[in-house]
Structures are given as C-alpha cells and as structure tokens.
Amino acid sequence: MDRTYVKSGKVMTSSALIARRQAAVARGVAFSLPIVIREARGAVVYDVEGRRFIDFAGGIGVLNVGHTHPKVVAAIKAQAERLTHACFMVATYESYVELAERLNQLVPGAWPKKTVLFNSGAEAVENAVKIARAATGRPAVLVFEHAFHGRTIFGLTLTGKVNPYKVGFGPFASEVYRLPYPYCFRCPRHTGEGKCCQAEASNFLSQLATLVDPTALAAVVIEPVLGEGGFIPAPPEFLRMLVDWCREHGVIFIADEVQTGFGRTGTMFAMEHAGVAADLTVLAKSLGGGLPISAVTGRQEIMDAPAPGGLGGTFAGNPVACAAALAALDVFEEERLVERARMIGATVREHFLSWKATYPWIGDVRGVGAMQALEIVIPNQSKAPDQKRTSLVQKLALERGLLTLTAGTWGNVIRTLMPLTISDSELAEGLEILGSALKSASAL
Ligand code: PLZ
C-alpha cells in the first residue's frame, strides 16, 4: 500500500513539515525523532513519506495497548457520537464513575478506595500532593534525585533533573525535600547481593532526619522504577522500608506509576513487585489507550480529605477519554498484556545482556518486565556517561526503521516502551535493528 501523504497534489516530506513546525511552534517543545508520523497501528508507525517503523517508544509509554487499537477506537467513536463533554463539576456521566470503580478495584491496597480524574500526569501528581496536604495538615513533600513528576511549576519542583526542564523557570515551590534514589549502578556501596540496599535504605532514612521534621511531612512521592531518570528500579527492600517509615510517621506514601503503570513492568503496577500498596497512586500515560487522561486513586479517607469544590478541572475525566480508558482496560484483560510484558521483557533482556557482554561501553542492563534499559558509558572512565554514542544509536536505529527513546539525567540510557501488543516478529525485527545500530555505533 502506498502510504505517502499527498496534499493539494504535492507529496509531503518530513523535512518540509518539520520546517513548518519550526516556524509555527515554540522551540521550547523539542523533539527527539526527526520524522513526521501520519498513522500507526499496534507497534508499527508510518511517516508521511510512507516509511515504516517499529515503535519502541510508544509516545513515551502511552501506548501499552498499541496504537489505534480497534476496540479503543470503536469506544472513542461511539462515545464521541453521544457526548464529548459535560464537565464532571457540572453534571454526572457514567463513564467517569465506571472508570473510578474499575481503578478502585485494580490499584493495590486491601482497603476502600476512591478516585479522581485529571488530564495529564503532572496535574495528577500535583493533586495527589494537594490531597495529602489536606489529609495531614502538613506542608512538606519528600522526593528523590533523578525523579520526573511533570512540567508545571510544582511538577518541576518535584522533578530532579535541572537541564533542560528547570532552566529559567524558577522560583519553584517551597517545602520540597530531596534524597538520593537507590541507583545501584552508581552506588559506591553496591555489592549486588541485596543486603547493601537495606543498609542503604537505613542510611537514607537517617539522612532524612537531617532534612526535615517527619511531623511536617505530608507525603513521600516516588517512582517505583525511575522513568525519565533512566529506568532505575528501586530495590524492593528499599520500597518496603520507605513504606514502613511512612506508616510509622503518619506520612502519605504516593506512588507515581505514570510511566511504570498498566502492565509495563510485568505486573499491573510496579509497586506490586515489592509487595507494597501506596496510600495514593498516580496514573496517566497508558491509562487512556492514547487519549489524555490521568487519575489519583487511593485510600478513601485520604481521598475525601479535600472539601467539595477543592478538586476538579474543566476537562478532567473527559467522557471520550474515559471511554477510551475503559476499553483499554478491557484489552488488558482480554489480551493478557501483563503476562505479555513479562515475555517481552525476558526477550529484550536476553538481547541486552548479550550486547553488554559484547560492547565494553554498555555499562548496565537493568529494568523490570518490559521496562528495560541500556546505560551507555565511556569504557574505563569510572562510568562516565556517553550521551554522544547514545544519540548515535538512536539516530542509526531511526534510519533503519526503529523508534527508540533515550532517558537518564545525562541522556545516556536507551529505554524500551514498546506497545505490549507487539508481535513476536515485530519485536524480533526491532531488536535486530537495535543490534545493528549498536554494532555500527561501536565503530565510533
Ligand atoms: N510522572 C513518572 O514519566 C511524564 C514526559 C517527558 P505528563 N514523562 C514523560 C517530558 O519530557 O515531558 C511523567 C512521568 C512520571 C509524571 C509525568 C508527567 O506526565 O502527562 O507529561 O504531565
């Protein structure tokens, strides 16, 4: 099938459209892949020139059920014909209520739960903190190095990486404190035997005592596996210790599962690997099967702390986005995507480990389930990050038909966020392209 995009008799090229983008759109919104996407299905994307790409990016982890899943598209169409907007602060519609009911069931925690919906991850993180403050009457929030929690002023305050996110945008909010994240690859005390993490956790907690009075702390916000920060899993014993510490001090434990959520790590939510349940869980990205929607789900008594009128938003929990999310949740069950994530992850990991054994500049292979990453360093230089070689791998992969994303504070991590509906042959094709890009990049 010819998939080139012809408009007014002219074949559109990526470079012409990118030139228009640059003339019309603020440059602050940067882009990592110089292609123009026209259509996509499952884990395959086509650009305006008709080129085909395997998608290991998923629009930054939004497409766990795949691009334009027929069930999600059908739900969107059906809802769009009935009702596209009402505003949940004006009147009730069922899809919002139904999605809240589904999330209350799905999110870990054997206690009564409630949910509130928003539009973006950043908005949901901010509201989780508002809810925690209302519930505790305390001001402070604890976050971690390398964290990413959004681009609003408060989201940026919680976010760890400075350049490019925070440059020029201060002042930031007050009462936000930061501790190191357990980054095993770069931890001087890491022995690889698990015990060090426990020691590290108590070390963190004693550092905490020097930062902020626990009785002033409303919440701890943590990604169980750092997303933008470089796919760094928090050791399960670390998460358990942190949760215990929070419970002991009346601090609300908020899991930001925006990127780790919805099957990515081989369980519905990443915190399940540690056997912990957050007081409040923040969800977005793959929740909507491609439409913008986010949620905070958590303990009923905490969720009900803000008074009526305290939470909301004009578009929050839009009916079409709710319908898409409900359909995406059905797809998760019907296609057993959580199980599929484990299989994808095992295949990816096997390839990554063999590449690590081949190339001395692959410093670390890590991840959970289908959330896998390669950290690229300069060999024999104390793990110095190699952003240049990482970008080259991404560029070569793109030229050969694979969309990848980088991550990490130093931009030296290649991460996998492919749709979990990817077929075995598409996965093999994507990995072959990545392997060939790594091979060519090793000649650098
Ligand atoms: N929390 C854990 O990963 C979004 C955006 C990257 P929004 N990450 C991808 C970028 O450069 O903007 C993210 C996340 C975690 C919160 C967010 C914020 O979600 O929907 O982008 O606001």
Side-chain angles (χ1 to χ4, degrees):
M1 196 198 320
D2 181 15
R3 291 181 185 265
T4 49
Y5 175 33
V6 182
K7 198 175 163 192
S8 316
K10 267 175 49 189
V11 175
M12 286 289 151
T13 61
S14 292
S15 54
L17 283 160
I18 289 171
R20 274 174 57 198
R21 167 185 179 143
Q22 279 161 340
V25 180
R27 64 181 190 149
V29 191
F31 56 97
S32 43
L33 304 173
I35 59 163
V36 179
I37 294 176
R38 175 146 158 81
E39 58 183 90
R41 168 63 60 92
V44 178
V45 166
Y46 296 91
D47 78 351
V48 287
E49 296 169 26
R51 289 181 298 179
R52 175 179 172 275
F53 300 90
I54 301 290
D55 188 2
F56 277 13
I60 325 192
V62 170
L63 293 153
N64 288 3
V65 300
H67 289 272
T68 57
H69 192 289
K71 288 219 160 146
V72 175
V73 173
I76 292 171
K77 282 185 176 163
Q79 180 62 49
E81 278 171 8
R82 275 200 313 273
L83 178 77
T84 55
H85 179 76
C87 186
F88 205 67
M89 298 183 302
V90 174
T92 301
Y93 42 92
E94 192 187 0
S95 53
Y96 188 123
V97 179
E98 194 180 335
L99 184 55
E101 290 166 348
R102 293 276 290 268
L103 292 175
N104 294 342
Q105 287 300 313
L106 203 59
V107 167
W111 41 70
K113 280 175 239 122
K114 282 194 168 182
T115 287
V116 58
L117 302 176
F118 300 99
N119 302 288
S120 68
E123 206 185 346
V125 172
E126 296 223 1
N127 278 281
V129 172
K130 279 165 62 179
I131 294 166
R133 282 180 172 166
T136 56
R138 301 172 176 187
V141 183
L142 179 76
V143 289
F144 291 85
E145 284 173 6
H146 310 289
F148 187 94
H149 298 295
R151 287 179 180 271
T152 53
I153 291 287
F154 194 68
L156 281 180
T157 308
L158 302 180
T159 291
K161 182 171 171 174
V162 174
N163 193 7
Y165 304 136
K166 300 169 86 149
V167 174
F169 297 139
F172 300 105
S174 61
E175 290 304 322
V176 173
Y177 300 88
R178 194 178 307 280
L179 275 182
Y181 193 91
Y183 189 169
C184 297
F185 177 59
R186 294 184 182 277
C187 175
R189 284 169 294 279
H190 187 61
T191 62
E193 286 151 14
K195 286 228 166 82
C196 53
C197 303
Q198 242 162 327
E200 194 60 3
S202 11
N203 184 23
F204 280 9
L205 296 180
S206 55
Q207 279 186 56
L208 185 53
T210 68
L211 270 185
V212 55
D213 168 14
T215 65
L217 204 53
V220 169
V221 186
I222 189 167
E223 296 160 82
V225 182
L226 286 179
E228 299 307 303
F231 278 29
I232 304 165
E237 41 289 81
F238 177 84
L239 283 180
R240 286 196 284 268
M241 211 171 221
L242 196 58
V243 172
D244 289 346
W245 185 90
C246 285
R247 305 259 145 95
E248 195 186 316
H249 292 89
V251 176
I252 290 173
F253 182 83
I254 302 177
D256 180 343
E257 292 255 11
V258 167
Q259 193 155 160
T260 49
F262 298 98
R264 174 60 42 194
T265 66
T267 49
M268 201 55 167
F269 303 104
M271 64 180 128
E272 294 172 52
H273 292 283
V276 299
D279 300 308
L280 299 179
T281 301
V282 182
L283 303 165
K285 291 199 187 276
S286 277
L287 167 62
L291 261 63
I293 186 162
S294 62
V296 180
T297 298
R299 288 180 190 265
Q300 182 175 301
E301 66 282 9
I302 298 174
M303 292 296 296
D304 273 338
L311 301 175
T314 305
F315 291 117
N318 169 273
V320 182
C322 287
L326 288 167
L329 289 177
D330 289 341
V331 172
F332 267 99
E333 279 174 30
E334 289 160 16
E335 300 186 18
R336 305 167 74 99
L337 293 184
V338 174
E339 239 174 271
R340 179 74 187 143
R342 287 196 281 266
M343 272 143 62
I344 293 169
T347 305
V348 170
R349 202 172 169 80
E350 200 184 302
H351 283 73
F352 280 18
L353 288 171
S354 82
W355 294 331
K356 182 172 183 285
T358 310
Y359 305 114
W361 42 269
I362 297 183
D364 196 22
V365 168
R366 58 172 177 258
V368 192
M371 193 172 184
Q372 293 289 329
L374 294 170
E375 177 156 356
I376 296 177
V377 296
I378 297 172
N380 311 320
Q381 280 194 25
S382 312
K383 305 180 178 175
D386 193 345
Q387 201 255 339
K388 206 171 137 206
R389 203 193 299 262
T390 312
S391 307
L392 180 65
V393 172
Q394 185 184 41
K395 181 172 163 277
L396 291 168
L398 181 72
E399 284 168 11
R400 295 167 196 186
L402 175 71
L403 309 185
T404 58
L405 289 177
T406 61
T409 295
W410 303 282
N412 66 320
V413 175
I414 302 267
R415 56 175 155 167
T416 61
L417 286 168
M418 66 283 281
L420 303 176
T421 51
I422 192 168
S423 70
D424 287 343
S425 64
E426 288 159 354
L427 180 63
E429 192 184 337
L431 287 168
E432 200 183 313
I433 297 172
L434 187 54
S436 94
L438 291 167
K439 191 167 179 207
S440 303
S442 81
L444 181 73

